[in-house]
């Protein structure tokens, strides 16, 4: 009987379940932050209340990143798994004086810096956003929250397009052999990298020597995150 209970309990803990997360940041609205289940290569984005959902099981590693926050990492423990809830208290990222200080809307800055016109003339999400801004619909969509949703949709699309663009120029062997990032972690690694505007800017300007140097440094940081 004990053996049966033990097997059932072990089976339960080995199953994925939806974890409801809450990001707390007392210095800004925690919207649009990026959550990665580094163990399973799954992704999510927080809403205006800092809430998100992520499929996970015990011992999965979650990594939360954003333009203005320090990297937050946590491992799903038994309590988080059983309650299906997790709270992340994130800290403001401290910039050096020689780094660019950006004021204004963080999502607008993200989209402006991430969107690569070389990928396509206009994307489906950008077209929907432009249409949502026009005329009387623009006023209505601003009031009912649809415009904010379109901005988030475009932000997510631009990240995916940029990751695809980078992967299109670098073979898997580059990440595996030189950077020592396993295949299953490449997308998570690149999503971690593109939170750094210097990485994005160097890639967009085709300053590949600088870009590859930055990737080497980022790979060292990322491997530390997923190894603990």
């Amino acid at each position: 009987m004990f053996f049966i209970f033990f097997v059932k309990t072990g089976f339960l803990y080995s199953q994925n379940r939806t974890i409801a997360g809450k990001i707390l940041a007392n210095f800004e609205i925690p919207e649009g932050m990026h959550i990665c289940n580094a163990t399973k290569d799954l992704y999510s984005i927080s809403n205006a209340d800092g809430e998100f959902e992520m499929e996970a099981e015990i011992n999965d590693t979650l990594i939360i990143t954003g333009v203005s926050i320090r990297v937050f990492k946590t491992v799903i423990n038994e309590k988080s798994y059983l309650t299906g809830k997790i709270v992340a208290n994130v800290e403001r990222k401290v910039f050096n004086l020689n780094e660019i200080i950006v004021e204004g809307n963080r999502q607008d800055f993200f989209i402006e810096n991430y969107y690569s016109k070389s990928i396509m003339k206009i994307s489906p999400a950008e077209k929907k956003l432009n249409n949502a801004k026009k005329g009387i619909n623009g006023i209505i969509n601003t009031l009912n929250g649809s415009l904010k949703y379109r901005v988030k949709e475009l932000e997510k699309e631009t990240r995916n397009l940029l990751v695809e663009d980078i992967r299109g120029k670098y073979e898997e062997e580059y990440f595996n052999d030189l950077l020592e990032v396993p295949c299953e972690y490449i997308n998570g690694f690149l999503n971690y990298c593109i939170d750094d505007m210097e990485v994005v800017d160097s890639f967009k300007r085709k300053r590949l020597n600088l870009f590859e140097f930055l990737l080497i440094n980022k790979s060292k940081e990322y491997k530390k995150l997923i190894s603990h």
Side-chain angles (χ1 to χ4, degrees), residues 133-144:
K133 289 179 178 179
K134 291 179 180 178
I136 188 67
N137 286 336
I139 299 173
I140 296 172
N141 289 330
T142 300
L143 294 175
N144 66 19

Side-chain angles (χ1 to χ4, degrees), residues 15-50:
Q15 298 298 297
N16 277 352
R17 70 166 301 174
T18 301
I19 304 295
K22 174 79 172 179
I23 299 173
L24 301 179
N26 59 11
F27 48 89
E28 72 169 25
I29 297 174
E31 181 178 13
M33 295 184 182
H34 303 94
I35 304 92
C36 169
N37 182 332
T39 306
K40 293 184 169 56
D41 200 26
L42 300 174
Y43 307 91
S44 182
I45 297 179
S46 61
N47 64 19
D49 295 318

Side-chain angles (χ1 to χ4, degrees), residues 207-223:
R207 299 171 62 189
L208 297 185
N209 287 338
L210 174 60
F211 175 71
E212 291 168 8
F213 172 77
L214 294 171
L215 285 191
I216 291 172
N217 290 334
K218 288 292 182 182
S219 68
K220 293 175 183 177
E221 296 174 6
Y222 188 74
K223 284 183 286 187

Side-chain angles (χ1 to χ4, degrees), residues 36-42 57 59-62 184-185 226:
C36 169
N37 182 332
T39 306
K40 293 184 169 56
D41 200 26
L42 300 174
E57 61 184 271
N59 293 327
D60 281 3
T61 298
L62 301 189
E184 63 269 24
Y185 288 109
I226 64 176

